[in-house]
Amino acid sequence: MPRRSGLASGLLLGSALDALLADPRRGHPVAAFGSAAARAERRLWRATRARGALFTVACAGPAAAAGWAGQRCAGRRPLPGAALAAAATWAVLGGASLAAEAAGVSRALAAGDLEDARRRLPALCGRDPAGLPAAELARAAVESVAENTCDAVVAPLLWGAVAGVGGLLGYRAVNTLDAMVGHHNMRYERFGWATARLDDVANLVPARLTAILAAALAPAVGGSGRAALRTLRRDGAAHPSPNAGRCEAAFAGALGVSLGGTNVYQGRAEQRGTLGDGPPPGPADLDRAIRLSRLITAATAVLAAATAYLLSARASRLTRRTRPGASAPAISPARLRTLTPAHERTRRRGRHEGDPGRREGGMRGNLAAGTGAGRPGRPARPGASAPAISPARICRRVTARRP
């Protein structure tokens, strides 16, 4: 694992940069990656799972490797490590953009401008907005906020805390590829299979963490944590996605609304299970979902930074213990007395009873080297102290004198 200097502070700084600056409309690194992946898809596409797996590795592998290489180049220097982690964190997070797009839909719905809301919805999700009424537009936006809170915030921060800069970039690459080819249609049913399965695995833990945080923070937006947990346990598996259903069910319970139903993607209708017990969401519920997403973002940034710090401290301790050529620590004479067997100390006292000088020197007479302390016929110099002795020498002495 590459060195992790500055990772914790970089995660916090990158999260703050995303909240302040959001995503640029042009020249975003993720957009550049998507363009390169689209060119690779045109070259590698075949209606087989093997080609899809090759495409996934060829695109996501270099992204993760570049992150780990940069982290290794930064080495133990905290400032370069923190700057690299902050830049990578800002590039892969999308929490601010998610909140801004959802807020635009909410404002359009509150103003009764359904055309503007339909125009904005594709920035949040892939369903067909044509002809959707206000209630369906609000439901689509709330569901997108719930799912993308995991994909755009929690998952990249968690992978960054555990796997460093390579984890940040590698996760974002996999999630971007899933958005491109992880669809159920004629072209991608087999080619996108590997990408979709890898994305499911990568989000397995982050999705559940998102749901738990939504339940914990529900009271801050006027919701119920107990209702969120109850809905999560009861309805989380009703969604066809093993991860999105957990996030959406927790948000539905936390907000006191019902989600799920029939969604249309590129002319194809998909039936989703009902999540929650309340009424359909409205613009006010969408605003509460946005606030809940922002709270989860802040909590996850702190948790990720703390996790990165603790893992880095633990790795540093293990490195010091296993460093080649490390010398054994010196042991004081007082500590040495506790390591010498009792019968050995008794035998020594009996052997020295006839020699007051040696009895007075005691253990110092046996162990002092080069000072003359405790030797027969030679008095100990005032103030002389026994030198530190290595554990290897202790073992040789004790073993040689053991009867």
Side-chain angles (χ1 to χ4, degrees):
M1 179 65 65
R3 295 185 179 95
R4 305 163 63 89
S5 296
L7 179 60
S9 55
L11 291 173
L12 287 176
L13 180 58
S15 300
L17 289 175
D18 177 67
L20 294 174
L21 304 178
D23 295 332
R25 295 193 176 274
R26 294 183 180 181
H28 195 284
V30 176
F33 171 81
S35 300
R39 291 192 293 270
E41 180 197 343
R42 289 193 292 269
R43 290 177 175 271
L44 296 175
W45 185 90
R46 295 289 187 279
T48 64
R49 290 182 176 181
R51 278 300 186 97
L54 176 62
F55 166 75
T56 303
V57 173
C59 293
W68 284 320
Q71 195 169 351
R72 186 166 291 280
C73 289
R76 294 183 179 276
R77 295 168 294 176
L79 287 180
L84 176 65
T89 302
W90 168 80
V92 304
L93 291 187
S97 297
L98 172 65
E101 294 294 343
V105 175
S106 177
R107 288 192 300 269
L109 290 175
D113 191 349
L114 297 186
E115 289 302 320
D116 187 36
R118 291 173 185 140
R119 181 182 59 83
R120 291 176 176 272
L121 186 64
L124 288 173
C125 60
R127 70 188 68 178
D128 186 1
L132 288 181
E136 288 297 307
L137 290 169
R139 177 174 72 85
V142 171
E143 290 174 354
S144 180
V145 169
E147 180 179 359
N148 285 293
T149 297
C150 174
D151 292 352
V153 178
V154 178
L157 284 175
L158 186 61
W159 277 105
V162 173
V165 177
L168 284 167
L169 301 184
Y171 171 81
R172 176 50 60 215
V174 170
N175 189 250
T176 303
L177 295 176
D178 179 65
M180 295 173 60
V181 304
H183 305 297
H184 293 289
N185 54 35
M186 291 293 293
R187 179 175 177 84
Y188 296 125
E189 187 67 36
R190 296 181 63 81
F191 183 80
W193 178 86
T195 299
R197 298 291 80 76
L198 183 58
D199 184 72
D200 287 343
V201 172
N203 282 293
L204 198 65
V205 174
R208 282 133 184 94
L209 176 60
T210 302
I212 293 173
L213 290 175
L217 297 170
V221 295
S224 169
R226 290 185 178 180
L229 292 175
R230 183 175 63 251
T231 307
L232 170 63
R233 289 193 299 267
R234 187 191 65 197
D235 301 334
H239 197 283
S241 169
N243 299 317
R246 271 65 183 184
C247 302
E248 293 180 17
F251 266 67
L255 301 174
V257 300
S258 61
L259 302 176
T262 302
N263 299 339
V264 179
Y265 299 93
Q266 299 177 352
R268 177 182 176 181
E270 294 185 8
Q271 184 63 37
R272 306 291 175 86
T274 301
L275 312 176
D277 301 315
D285 298 310
L286 179 54
D287 291 336
R288 293 168 61 213
I290 295 170
R291 293 200 304 271
L292 181 59
S293 177
R294 285 173 170 161
L295 290 173
I296 292 174
T297 298
T300 305
V302 174
L303 288 175
T307 300
Y309 178 81
L310 293 175
L311 290 177
S312 178
R314 182 175 182 272
S316 298
R317 289 195 298 268
L318 291 177
T319 301
R320 286 196 298 268
R321 291 177 183 175
T322 59
R323 188 169 59 247
S327 58
I331 300 180
S332 66
R335 173 63 176 160
L336 182 60
R337 293 190 186 96
T338 64
L339 299 176
T340 306
H343 70 273
E344 179 69 14
R345 294 197 299 270
T346 302
R347 188 169 64 86
R348 289 178 183 176
R349 284 197 299 270
R351 188 175 61 191
H352 294 268
E353 282 180 354
D355 190 346
R358 294 185 62 158
R359 185 169 65 250
E360 182 179 350
M363 187 62 69
R364 292 174 62 182
N366 289 313
L367 300 180
T371 62
R375 295 181 182 176
R378 184 182 299 179
R381 291 198 303 270
S385 61
I389 301 179
S390 68
R393 188 175 178 188
I394 295 169
C395 295
R396 289 197 298 271
R397 290 194 174 199
V398 173
T399 304
R401 295 176 181 176
R402 184 173 297 163

